[in-house]
Amino acid sequence: MKALVFGSAGQVAQELRLRLPGAVFLSRAEADLRTPETCAAAIATSDADVVVNAAAFTGVDQAESDEATARLVNGTAPGVMARAAAARGIPFLHVSTDYVFDGTGSAPWHPDDETGPLGAYGRSKLAGEHGIHAAGGRFAILRTSWVFSAHGTNFVKTMLRLGKTRDTLAVVADQIGGPTAAGDVASALIEMGRLLSLGLGAPGTYHFAGAPDVSWAAFARGIFHQAGLQTQVTDIPAAAYPAPARRPQNSRLDCSTTETVFGVLRPDWRKSLTNVLKDLGEI
C-alpha cells in the first residue's frame, strides 16, 4: 500500500511513520492546509493508492479566538482533499474527533447520532466531515478521543511531569471518554486504508477509542500507578477548571461498526499506556 500522509509532526502522523516506512509524509511547509489547493495538487500528482489526512488545527481553546483559520484547516481543506482523492479513485482517510458531539447523556455516541459541537474546534471538524461526505468516493472518517503517545504534548506526558513534582493533583472527574494511543489510531487507519484500497469495507464515518471508558481523574490514577508515582488525585468538576472552550462531558464512543466493517477492535488503553511509558523510559 502506497500511502500519502498529510502531517508529519503530530502524534498520529509520527506513529504512522513508524508503521509505514515507504509512505510519503508531507509537512506543513510542503502542503499547508491553509492553502487547500496545494494539498489537492499533491494528491493529483502522487502515485499513492491511499491518502491519510493526519494534519489539523488542534488548538481547541485557540480556535475560539481564531475560528476562521480552524475552519479553513479543519473544515475546508479536508473536503478539497477528499475530492482530489475521489477524482483519482483512491481512498481518503481522515481523523476527526468526539468534539462534534455536545457531550450530553451517558450513552456512547454512535456514528449516526445527531451532532452538536460546543465550540469552534468541534464546528470546524464537523464542517470537514460534511465536505468529505459531499466529495463521495471511498472515504473513511475516523472519530477518536483523548489521544496520547510518547510524542508531542498530551495528557500522559503532562501528568508525568506534574506527578514528579507534586504530592497531589486536582483532575477533572465529570468528563468521561476513552483514552486512545496514537499508535492504535495509526494501526486502525492502516488496516482501514488497506481494505478500502482492495475495494472492501464501506465508506462512511467510524468511531475508534480505547477501552474501558474512564474519567480524566481515573486516567491520571492509571498513569501514576503504572509509572510508580505516589501522587494522589483529587476529583474536581470541569467547572472548577475553566477554559475558553467548553469540553464535552460525555466522550464515550460506540466503536461497534468499526469492528463489524473493518475488523478493528477497541484497544485496551491500559496496555497501550504501558507501551507508551516504556517508550518514554518511565518503566
Side-chain angles (χ1 to χ4, degrees):
M1 183 176 73
K2 295 181 180 179
L4 177 66
V5 182
F6 288 84
S8 61
Q11 296 186 78
V12 174
Q14 293 196 60
E15 291 293 336
L16 284 168
R17 190 183 296 277
L18 295 174
R19 292 161 174 77
L20 290 172
V24 174
F25 289 80
L26 298 179
S27 66
R28 182 184 298 178
E30 296 167 307
D32 193 335
L33 271 67
R34 293 174 296 182
T35 54
E37 63 277 5
T38 64
C39 301
I43 294 170
T45 57
S46 170
D47 65 349
D49 46 33
V50 62
V51 177
V52 180
N53 181 30
F57 184 111
T58 57
V60 175
D61 290 326
Q62 184 184 355
E64 293 299 313
S65 58
D66 191 6
E67 186 166 357
T69 302
R71 184 83 177 206
L72 178 60
V73 173
N74 295 340
T76 303
V80 173
M81 296 158 71
R83 288 196 296 273
R88 287 199 51 218
I90 59 176
F92 180 77
L93 287 87
H94 175 76
V95 181
S96 193
T97 175
D98 60 294
Y99 278 65
V100 299
F101 296 111
D102 65 10
T104 56
S106 58
W109 295 99
H110 187 272
D112 294 332
D113 284 341
E114 183 177 354
T115 53
L118 298 175
Y121 172 71
R123 289 192 294 270
S124 71
K125 294 294 285 186
L126 184 58
E129 292 187 8
H130 290 163
I132 294 167
H133 275 274
R138 286 178 288 163
F139 70 90
I141 296 166
L142 191 64
R143 293 176 181 150
T144 189
S145 64
W146 297 19
V147 177
F148 67 92
S149 71
H151 318 290
T153 301
N154 56 68
F155 185 78
V156 170
K157 294 178 76 174
T158 298
M159 289 299 101
L160 290 172
R161 175 174 54 82
L162 295 176
K164 292 174 181 178
T165 60
R166 301 186 189 180
D167 294 327
T168 62
L169 275 177
V171 184
V172 171
D174 58 355
Q175 294 174 351
I176 310 296
T180 316
D184 292 328
V185 178
S187 295
L189 289 169
I190 291 169
E191 178 62 9
M192 295 169 75
R194 185 185 71 83
L195 292 174
L196 287 172
S197 66
L198 294 173
L200 303 174
T205 301
Y206 296 90
H207 288 173
F208 182 75
D213 294 317
V214 291
S215 69
W216 286 113
F219 186 24
R221 291 188 180 96
I223 296 166
F224 295 144
H225 173 72
Q226 288 203 27
L229 297 174
Q230 302 304 311
T231 309
Q232 298 299 307
V233 175
T234 301
D235 292 3
I236 61 169
Y241 190 76
R246 292 174 60 195
R247 270 68 171 171
Q249 285 192 290
N250 175 23
S251 291
R252 300 173 180 88
L253 296 176
D254 182 332
C255 306
S256 57
T257 56
T258 311
E259 178 179 351
T260 301
V261 177
F262 293 103
V264 175
L265 306 178
R266 287 188 75 179
D268 186 327
W269 63 261
R270 295 164 297 191
K271 294 180 180 178
S272 299
L273 174 62
T274 300
N275 294 331
V276 168
L277 293 176
K278 288 179 179 177
D279 288 343
L280 289 169
E282 298 291 342
I283 58 176

